[in-house]
Amino acid sequence: MSYAAYIFDAYGTLFDVHAAVRRHAQAIGPDGQLLSEIWRAKQLEYSWTRSLMGQWRDFWALTEEALDHAFERVPSADKSLRPQLLDAYFKLDCYPEVPTVLKTLKATGARVAILSNGSSEMLASAVKNAALDSVIDDVFSVDALQIFKTDPSVYDLVTTAYRLYPGAVSFQSSNRWDVAGATKFGFRTIWINRTQMPDEYLDLSPSMILPDLNAVV
C-alpha cells in the first residue's frame, strides 16, 4: 500500500546518534560506549521532563546538558573532548541505507519529510552533512511548538501542513515510545528496531517492525 507522505524521525532512525562518540572512540577510551548511551538516555529524559513541566529548552541545549552529565558519570572520559563531540553530533552520519530508501520513496511521488525533536539548526546541519537536501521535502521541528514528542500537536504538524488525514501518513521511527505516540495519533507506523529490543507499549502496536529502513520501500 502506498501513502501520500512518508515521515521519518531523525535521530536513531535516519542519523546514527552514536556516530559522534565512535568518531572519537580512540581518544575517549574503553568507556566510550557507556558515555554515548548515557548521553542519549539523558537527552531524551530531559526532553520528556521539560515537556511535562512546561519549561522549554531546545534540543541542542538539552544535548549539551546531557553530554555534561554523561562526562560526570564517566570520569575516565576526557572532558576536553566536549567541543569535538558536540561538533560531531551536529554533523551526524546517516545510516547506509538511508539515501537509497529516501530517493526510492520520493520517486513514487510521495512526500518525504522529517519530524523530529531536534532543533531546526541541528536538523539542517544533519541533512546537509548527509547530502539528503535533494530528497527531503520538509523538515518539521518541534521548535515551532516548543514542546516535544509524544505530544499529539507534534504529529499534527504534518497533517496540518500537508492537509492529510493521519491514515494517509506512514511514520517511521527507531524509538518505540515515538512509534506509540504516532500510532495513538493515527499514523500508520513502522518501528525500525535496529538494536533488536523487546516490544513495549503493547496496546499501541506498530503496523510493522523492521530491522532497518530497507523494507520500507
Side-chain angles (χ1 to χ4, degrees):
M1 182 176 178
S2 60
Y3 291 82
Y6 290 85
I7 310 301
F8 295 84
D9 171 59
Y11 297 107
T13 306
L14 298 180
F15 306 109
D16 184 353
V17 295
H18 299 294
V21 168
R22 274 203 308 275
R23 199 174 299 175
H24 298 281
Q26 187 172 356
I28 295 169
D31 293 327
Q33 182 176 348
L34 177 61
L35 181 79
S36 192
E37 289 174 354
I38 294 172
W39 187 7
R40 174 61 171 169
K42 297 306 290 188
Q43 179 195 52
L44 294 175
E45 179 189 324
Y46 291 166
S47 72
W48 299 326
T49 304
R50 290 282 176 176
S51 285
L52 285 168
M53 70 172 71
Q55 187 74 28
W56 168 255
R57 283 175 72 80
D58 73 41
F59 204 60
W60 184 244
L62 302 186
T63 299
E64 293 178 309
E65 292 171 4
L67 177 57
D68 292 337
H69 176 82
F71 274 127
E72 293 299 322
R73 294 269 298 277
V74 185
S76 64
D78 185 355
K79 292 181 181 179
S80 69
L81 292 169
R82 183 182 190 271
Q84 293 96 310
L85 288 173
L86 289 172
D87 181 69
Y89 204 99
F90 210 68
K91 303 169 184 174
L92 285 177
D93 301 325
C94 69
Y95 289 100
E97 80 276 13
V98 168
T100 298
V101 169
L102 298 189
K103 287 175 185 175
T104 302
L105 291 173
K106 188 174 178 66
T108 69
R111 286 176 169 172
V112 176
I114 288 174
L115 176 65
S116 174
N117 278 343
S119 71
S120 299
E121 293 79 8
M122 289 175 71
L123 295 168
S125 175
V127 168
K128 181 179 180 180
N129 183 69
L132 299 177
D133 318 54
S134 63
V135 290
I136 297 290
D137 293 311
D138 294 287
V139 177
F140 297 99
S141 167
V142 299
D143 282 359
L145 301 172
Q146 298 197 350
I147 194 167
F148 294 102
K149 297 173 182 176
T150 56
D151 191 275
S153 64
V154 176
Y155 305 105
D156 190 49
L157 284 171
V158 172
T159 51
T160 297
Y162 290 160
R163 297 184 179 181
L164 294 172
Y165 290 110
V169 175
S170 179
F171 180 77
Q172 291 68 224
S173 179
S174 65
N175 301 297
R176 185 62 180 92
W177 52 268
D178 191 13
V179 169
T183 300
K184 175 65 167 58
F185 184 74
F187 288 162
R188 178 256 202 167
T189 55
I190 299 179
W191 179 27
I192 309 302
N193 188 8
R194 294 186 182 277
T195 55
Q196 299 182 323
M197 295 296 288
D199 198 6
E200 50 186 336
Y201 305 104
L202 298 181
D203 59 324
L204 295 166
S205 297
S207 300
M208 297 176 66
I209 302 174
L210 301 173
D212 55 44
L213 289 168
N214 282 307
V216 172
V217 297

